[in-house]
Structures are given as C-alpha cells and as structure tokens.
C-alpha cells in the first residue's frame, strides 16, 4: 500500500522520528511476520475447512506490530501481572491471533493444527485457557467492554500496563461498543487503546451496505477519544500510531486502521464471501503463491 | 406463627441486607469493587459508595457495559459486585452468558426489585423469569434470600466463593426470620417447620407467606414442612429428596413464573430420583400488573391464605 491514506499531518514528524528510532530491518521483519501470519491463518482455516479468512488477513499487520514490536508480554510467563493486555474483540478472526501467539512462543506451532478440532486447544473463538489469551472474545462488542474493567483495575492498582483492543468496523454496529466507549472516556482511561480494523466488509456485504457507520473518526472524537487515523497495512504508520497512543494522557485513544478485508490475496480482497468461508485446495494454493510474492 | 417469625424484629428489605453485606465485604477485602447502573440508591450499593468511593463505579444506564466491565475487573483480580434491577440485568443476558458464565468469572450479580412484589411499577419492572434464564447457565450460582439477615450473610458468603453468581433481591421490607447468629451456607436448604402431611419448598418473600400458611393449615389439622430454599442453584437435592420421601406431597412456592424457577428445579430432581405428587405455586405463566404488593399477592395466589388453600386442597386429594 502507498502512503495516500496517511491523513494526519503530525504523522510526518512521527515518520521521521520513527526512521531514527526504527531501522528498516525491523520494519522488514515485521512485514515478514505479518506475511507469515497470513499464511499460517489460511493453512489453519483450510485444514479445519472452517473459519474466517477475511478478517484474519486484514488484521495481520496490526498483530505483527503489536506482538513483535509493542506489547510488553512474556511467553514464558503468560499471566505476568505487569504485562500489557491484548483483547481480540472480533474473536472470529482468531486464526491470525493464534498464529501470532504461536510465533511469539506462547505455545508450539504444532498446536495450530488443533484449530477448530474436537478436543483441540485452539477453539473457533479464543478461550481463556489458551496461553497468552487475556480475554475470550467472540460475541461482538463484548471485548471492548471487558477492556474497560481491565483498564480501570490497572488505574486503581496504579499499574503501568496498557490495554489494547482490536475491534472490527462491522463489530462497531453493536451498541455496547458505544456504551463502552462512553465510559472509557468518562473514566479517562488513557491506558486503553482501541484499534479499529476498518476493513470495510462484513458477513453479508460492505459496511456501507449493511449499516453505514458514518464518520467513525468524528464519532470517536465526539465520544472523547484521541483519534489517530492510519493505513493499517503500512507497518511504519502502525508502529508510529501505537507509540503515539502510548504517550497520550487523560483520554483513551482510537487508532483507526484503514485496512482491506482479505488483504494480500487478490480474490479474497474486499470479498464478503470470504468473511467466513474456508479456501478449497486450489484457492489455498493460489493464495500461497500470492503471499510468497510479498 | 410456627414460632419462627417474631414480629418485634420488624421488617427489612433483602436489598438492605445486600447493601449492608456489601459494605462488610468491602471492609473485609480491599479488592471488592461495586458497579451500578444508575440505581445505586435503590439497590443499596450506594452504601458501599459512601464508604469506599474510590472502589465504586457508576456505569450509567448501560447494563451490558456494566457486566462487561465487571468481567474485566474479575480478570484483573478484583472482586466485582454488579447491581441493578433484576429485570435490567436480563438486558445484559448474553453478556452474562458469554462473558461471565462461559468463563466462570468471579462476578457477583445482584438483581433487585424482582418478582411482582415490586408492585406499583407494573409488569415492565417485575422480573418473573430471571431465575429461569440464569438457571440455564452452566457455572451460575443463584441465591434468593428470604430476609435481610440472610441477604447480608449471603453477600458475605459470596465473597469467599470464587465463581459467578446471581442474587435475587426484593424491594419491599420483609419480616426478619433469622437472627444474627444464623449460619448461611451456599447450596444448603433449611427446615423451618416440620409436619408429615406435605412439604413446602419456598424461596424469597414466599418463605414468610408459606410459614404463615403453615400456621393456618395447623389449625385445620394439617402439618407441613416448610423449607427455605435460598440457593436455587446448586439446589440442595439431598434435602429435596429427603423431604419428598417423608411426605410424598411436595409444594413449591415462589414469586416467579412457575416455568423454570424453583418449582421446575425441584420437579427436575424429583422426576429423576423420587417421582411423587407435586404442586407448583407461582405465577401461572402470566405477567403481573400495577398494584400494592399485598393486593398483587392476593390476586395472583401468592399470599399465605392462597397458599394454605392450595395446600389444603392438594393434601386433601392426597389423603
């Protein structure tokens, strides 16, 4: 993706800072990891012949940046009290999440084969028993609300951890997202960072067709959030936004990541049919070839 | 009066007992936090707020987010008590199911103003199905105290219990049946009167009505057990089977729909263990209406006299 969607002027400065802070190699590494996450996700979904490819592909870059750049976590001690928390509120996009957790070392990569299988560790939607999972998201909107409680508890206990919540744009049609946002601002939860995977597509069509969310940036701003808008497939913009979000005080932050559902696989991109459909053998093969090129 | 209720103890609402218990819980454990959805004056969680303002969270009129936030607290080692009206807790039902019960999080939900005894507010405010829906959730403990002392003790007992629970509270003052030495145990029923002719398993406000009914019945030469079933889940199955065996005539009494509540819970146990004649007293699959609580109890057959009449008829059939 080009830089055309970078629409916040301040990012220019952050951009330069980031170049100093981060070397190209790190960016390249994070992009490579994102690509691996995409591949692993599709292999898992193909093997299970069940799962959600579209949202896994759109969030892969964000997860790479979170798990391999930003999150203060320890795979050897998943319940470490001081750890940053991450909630995948759009829990159906679990394949990419599981891939990231495995690659980070929370469990063996072999476990990825248990995805959606009976007696398997990796359930269709995240469960608390999975090492590294802070909340068992699934039913849309609920993780956003749970994040409030974790952030509030962090405030009471004067902990320095941050709480990151990945939300879908379709998910944001749920009223609880707005109940939760209202209270996050009310309680000045500056340790709480939402990331909107604004991939534009949901199960039965585009979000514009199903229930247009309107101007989400203005909506969250008016709810009392800092809002940062980025291209959610541009690694540098993602890490810049995450760094900036961590430095902001008094308000919770929303990072609106403009993404493409099914990103990286041409026939899945912006195709709602691949919201919750597994690729067949031929489609997987084609997808793997396309992802090899990255 | 079967010698149980002494009028001089006065009447106190179970929600008051909850409020007192909540403050005591807060004193005992600094991890206790309380959340409410703009009803803290009615649910009495306000008393906790006065004592521990930094551990009280006003969630606005947004029950779903209150339940979700409580879950986040529980995941972070806090012990959240989340209160609202019983009926509005149902608005967050899918969160109670998917966030709280599915993960068996240590969240204590309190639903006040349950049942038709809520009175004048009418049927929109009178939860008559809350026990039924929460009973269908794995892991969920369901408690309905019969008086303020029991409510206070139950609230404190829940502090020691690790897991999810729903406590059903009532708006109106009720005679105090227990004294301060009463030992409350989750899941353990309590025999208050004895008699060979029948057993009434009662919960909440209907315990007092059942005790009064037992007095009326005694005058007619009918002697009944009255058992307090404060914990509807897990049900004290041992006690239920034991008293069914002793009487072969079982009556349940609750201010709740006869579908899915205490009556159903008792029936489920008996049908698999000791099938016997049984009568469910409660709302006969109808909603309530506006009116004074005692008027409503008379109209819908939940007052002592109606209970006595029903039991009399039922025992008569049995003899």
């Amino acid at each position: 993706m080009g830089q055309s969607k970078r629409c916040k002027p301040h990012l220019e400065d952050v951009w330069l800072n980031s170049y100093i802070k981060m070397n190209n190699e790190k960016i390249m590494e994070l992009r490579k990891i994102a690509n691996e996450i995409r591949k692993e996700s599709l292999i898992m979904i193909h093997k299970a012949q069940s799962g959600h490819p579209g949202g896994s592909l759109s969030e892969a870059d964000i997860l790479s940046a979170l798990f391999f750049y930003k999150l203060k976590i320890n795979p050897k001690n998943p319940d470490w009290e001081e750890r940053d928390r991450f909630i995948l509120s759009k829990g159906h996009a679990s394949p990419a999440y599981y891939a990231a957790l495995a690659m980070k070392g929370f469990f063996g990569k072999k476990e990825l084969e248990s995805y959606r299988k009976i007696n398997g560790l990796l359930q269709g939607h995240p469960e608390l028993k999975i090492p590294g999972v802070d909340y068992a998201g699934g039913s849309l909107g609920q993780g956003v609300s749970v994040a409030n409680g974790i952030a509030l508890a962090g405030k009471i206990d004067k902990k320095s951890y941050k709480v990151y919540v990945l939300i879908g744009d379709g998910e944001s049609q749920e009223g609880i997202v707005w109940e939760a946002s209202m209270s996050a601002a009310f309680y000045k939860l500056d340790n709480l960072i939402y990331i909107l995977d604004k991939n534009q597509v949901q199960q039965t069509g585009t979000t514009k067709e199903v229930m247009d969310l309107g101007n989400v940036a203005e909506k969250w701003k008016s709810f009392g959030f800092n809002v940062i808008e980025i291209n959610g497939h541009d690694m540098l913009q993602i890490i810049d936004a995450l760094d900036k979000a961590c430095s902001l005080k008094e308000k919770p932050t929303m990072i609106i990541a403009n993404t493409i559902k099914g990103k990286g696989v041409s026939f899945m991109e912006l195709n709602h049919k691949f919201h919750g459909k597994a690729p067949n053998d031929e489609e997987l093969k084609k997808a793997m070839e396309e992802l090899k090129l990255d | 009066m079967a010698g149980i209720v002494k009028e001089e103890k006065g009447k106190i609402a179970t929600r008051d007992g909850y409020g007192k218990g909540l403050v005591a819980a807060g004193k005992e454990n600094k991890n206790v936090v309380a959340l409410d959805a703009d009803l803290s004056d009615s649910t009495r969680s306000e008393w906790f707020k006065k004592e521990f303002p930094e551990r009280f969270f006003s969630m606005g009129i947004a029950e779903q987010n209150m339940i979700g936030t409580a879950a986040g607290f529980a995941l972070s080692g806090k012990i959240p008590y989340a209160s609202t009206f019983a009926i509005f807790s149902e608005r967050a039902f899918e969160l109670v199911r998917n966030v709280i019960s599915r993960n068996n999080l240590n969240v204590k939900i309190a639903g006040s103003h349950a049942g038709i005894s809520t009175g004048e507010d009418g049927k929109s405010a009178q939860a008559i199905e809350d026990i039924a829906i929460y009973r269908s959730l794995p892991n969920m403990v369901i408690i309905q105290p019969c008086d303020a002392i029991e409510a206070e003790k139950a609230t404190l007992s829940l502090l020691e219990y690790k897991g999810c629970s729903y406590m059903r509270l009532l708006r109106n003052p009720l005679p105090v049946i227990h004294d301060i030495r009463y030992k409350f145990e989750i899941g353990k029923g309590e025999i208050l009167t004895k008699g060979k002719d029948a057993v009434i398993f009662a919960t909440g406000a209907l315990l007092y009505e059942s005790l009064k009914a037992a007095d009326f019945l005694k005058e007619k030469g009918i002697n009944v057990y009255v058992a307090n079933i404060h914990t509807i889940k897990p049900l004290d199955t041992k006690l239920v089977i034991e008293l069914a065996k002793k009487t072969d005539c079982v009556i349940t009494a609750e201010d709740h729909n006869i579908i899915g509540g205490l009556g159903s819970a008792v029936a489920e146990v008996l049908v698999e263990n000791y099938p016997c004649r049984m009568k469910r007293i409660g709302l006969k699959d109808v909603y309530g209406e506006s009116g004074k609580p005692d008027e409503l109890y008379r109209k819908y057959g939940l007052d002592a006299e109606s209970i006595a009449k029903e039991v009399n008829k039922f025992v008569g059939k049995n003899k």
Side-chain angles (χ1 to χ4, degrees), chain B residues 55-66:
Chain B
R55 286 194 265 146
F56 176 86
F57 298 91
S58 160
M59 298 312 294
I61 307 170
E63 294 78 14
Q64 296 184 61
N65 186 45
M66 177 176 76

Side-chain angles (χ1 to χ4, degrees), chain A residues 61-167:
Chain A
D61 299 292
I62 298 162
L63 289 179
S64 172
L66 279 168
F67 279 87
F68 295 89
Y69 169 73
K70 193 75 222 176
L71 292 179
K72 201 172 60 177
I73 45 176
N74 181 1
K76 296 260 178 328
N77 184 9
D79 299 326
W80 177 39
E81 264 191 46
E82 308 300 322
R83 73 189 184 281
D84 286 336
R85 269 62 165 183
F86 170 72
I87 293 178
L88 180 70
S89 193
K90 40 172 265 178
H92 58 275
S94 57
Y97 181 28
Y98 294 156
L101 286 170
M103 289 162 74
K104 187 77 185 172
F106 281 97
F107 45 81
K109 259 175 119 173
K110 186 102 180 98
E111 281 294 348
L112 296 179
E113 292 173 16
S114 76
Y115 173 63
R116 288 191 175 238
K117 293 280 181 354
I118 192 157
N119 300 324
L121 174 69
L122 304 183
Q123 296 287 298
H125 292 76
E127 289 288 335
L128 288 174
K129 66 175 178 184
I130 301 169
V133 167
D134 290 317
Y135 175 65
S139 185
L140 294 177
Q142 301 183 348
V144 187
S145 183
V146 172
N148 271 338
I150 300 177
L152 274 170
K155 286 276 176 194
I156 308 179
D157 290 342
K158 301 192 167 48
K159 299 267 186 202
S160 63
Y161 65 70
K162 303 276 182 193
V163 185
Y164 298 85
V165 198
L166 187 54
I167 315 171

